Amino acid sequence: MTTPNHTASVLVQALPYIQRFHGKAVVVKLGGAAIDAELDRALAQDVLLLRSVGVRCVLVHGGGPQVDTMMRRVGKEPEFRDGLRVTDAETLEIVRMVLVGKINRDLVGTINREALEDPVAVGVSGEDGGLLQVVARESSLGFVGDVDLVRASVLHRLLDEGLVPVVSTIGADAQGQPYNINADEAARAIAVAMAAEKIVYLTAAPGLLEDVNDESSLVPRLTSAELRERMGHSSVSRGMIPKLQACADAVDGGVGTAHIIDGREPHALLVELLTDEGIGTMVSREKRW
C-alpha cells in the first residue's frame, strides 16, 4: 500500500521535470496495436495531468490493425509493400472511416470523459485547415502520401485555447485529394514543425531490444547516429524500423528527445516523462548520460 511519504517522494521527483517541460510541446503517437479501452483511459489521465501542469500535448494516432479488421469485414484483403499499405480509392474510404470516424472520436470521447472540467480534447484530421499537406509517394501504392508541409499554427492555436488536439493521419494534396499517411512519419513531421521538446511513441513493445525475443534486453538510451547504425541489424524487427527512422529523423530535425515506450503499461507516458528511471528507449542527438 502506498504511504503518504512515498506519494510525496514521487511528487518531489516529478517536480524538476514538470518545471522543465512547462510550456513545451510534447507529441505523443499512439499506435493502433496499443489502442485498448482501459489503456486509453490511463493515457487520457496522463495527458490531462500533463496539460494541468502546463505541458502542451498533441496526441497523434494510427489504427492499422483496426483498418485491417474493417477491410476483412467488407471482404477486402489488406496489401502492403515495404511496410506501407497499398491504398486504392476503396481502401482510402475505409481508412478515413476508421481513423477519423471511429478511433479519433473514441479517443476524444475518452479524454473528455476523464476531464474534471469542460471538455478539452478536440479531434483534428490532417485534412482540416490544411494541417498535413502531402505529396503522393508513388503510383503503385495508390493514395499514400508523404508529408510535405505541416501547418503547425493550427495546433498551436488549439493549444493556446487550452485544448488537446487529437490528430488522425489523413492528409490532402494541393488539390484537396485525401491521402493515407504513415502515422509514425506524420507524428515526426508534426513534432519537428512544432519544435517539440519530445516525441513519444507508444507501442506494443518495451522499446528497442538487443534481442527481439527477450523483452528484458531493452536498450535504454542511444544517439540518433547509434540508432541509424542499429537499423540494419537482424536484431531489429521489420515493424520497428519506421519508428526508429522517425525517432532518428525527429531528433536530427530539432526535437529534443524521442522515446519508444510500452503503451501496454498503464501510465507509461507519466513514468517516462516525470520519473528518473523511465521505462523505454530514449533517443537524443548527442549523448545525455
Side-chain angles (χ1 to χ4, degrees):
M1 184 174 180
T2 301
T3 67
N5 284 343
H6 180 262
T7 300
S9 68
V10 170
L11 293 174
V12 169
Q13 183 183 142
L15 179 60
Y17 297 102
I18 291 172
Q19 293 172 326
R20 175 180 167 188
F21 301 142
H22 181 85
K24 302 291 182 64
V26 173
V27 175
V28 181
K29 189 269 179 174
L30 177 62
I35 291 174
D36 169 89
E38 282 305 308
L39 292 173
D40 290 351
R41 182 170 179 264
L43 174 62
Q45 294 167 345
D46 291 0
V47 169
L48 289 168
L49 189 152
L50 291 169
R51 172 184 172 273
S52 72
V53 297
V55 180
R56 294 162 66 87
C57 283
V58 176
L59 185 59
V60 181
H61 67 83
Q66 294 81 352
V67 171
D68 290 347
T69 298
M70 181 59 69
M71 289 183 67
R72 293 188 175 105
R73 187 177 297 173
V74 300
K76 192 173 180 67
E77 188 63 25
E79 180 184 354
F80 295 87
R81 294 179 188 168
D82 297 323
L84 295 174
R85 185 185 302 278
V86 177
T87 307
D88 59 16
E90 184 181 8
T91 300
L92 179 63
E93 184 177 350
I94 294 170
V95 171
R96 292 175 84 194
M97 177 178 66
V98 173
L99 296 191
V100 182
K102 172 60 176 169
I103 296 176
N104 190 272
R105 303 316 311 161
D106 287 349
L107 289 171
V108 167
T110 298
I111 295 171
N112 286 336
R113 282 192 296 274
E114 292 298 316
L116 299 179
E117 51 190 72
D118 293 334
V120 296
V122 57
V124 184
S125 165
E127 297 176 77
D128 296 337
L131 173 59
L132 298 177
Q133 298 180 28
V134 306
V135 293
R137 171 69 68 94
E138 57 180 82
S139 59
S140 64
L141 291 170
F143 296 105
V144 173
D146 290 322
V147 178
D148 186 49
L149 177 68
V150 177
R151 287 190 64 193
S153 60
V154 173
L155 300 174
H156 284 302
R157 287 172 187 168
L158 293 171
L159 291 164
D160 289 344
E161 292 291 327
L163 300 171
V164 176
V166 182
V167 181
S168 54
T169 51
I170 300 293
D173 66 12
Q175 289 72 46
Q177 169 62 49
Y179 281 83
N180 184 20
I181 309 170
N182 176 273
D184 293 329
E185 170 57 20
R188 192 277 317 163
I190 288 170
V192 170
M194 296 184 72
E197 177 70 16
K198 291 182 178 290
I199 182 169
V200 182
Y201 288 91
L202 293 170
T203 70
L208 177 62
L209 303 176
E210 292 281 5
D211 179 353
V212 293
N213 297 313
D214 180 6
E215 291 198 350
S216 68
S217 64
L218 179 70
V219 179
R221 298 178 181 87
L222 71 174
T223 66
S224 58
E226 291 169 338
L227 182 58
R228 292 185 193 280
E229 288 180 7
R230 284 177 177 266
M231 281 193 279
H233 294 181
S234 59
S235 61
V236 176
S237 67
R238 185 178 181 85
M240 185 64 78
I241 290 177
K243 291 176 179 58
L244 302 182
Q245 182 72 53
C247 285
D249 290 346
V251 297
D252 287 347
V255 177
T257 54
H259 305 252
I260 301 174
I261 66 175
D262 196 339
R264 301 168 299 181
E265 293 291 331
H267 304 297
L269 182 61
L270 290 185
V271 174
E272 181 67 8
L273 266 59
L274 302 183
T275 69
D276 294 335
E277 295 82 8
I279 62 170
T281 298
M282 183 181 81
V283 183
S284 57
R285 184 169 175 80
E286 306 292 341
K287 286 188 180 293
R288 298 189 175 189
W289 55 92

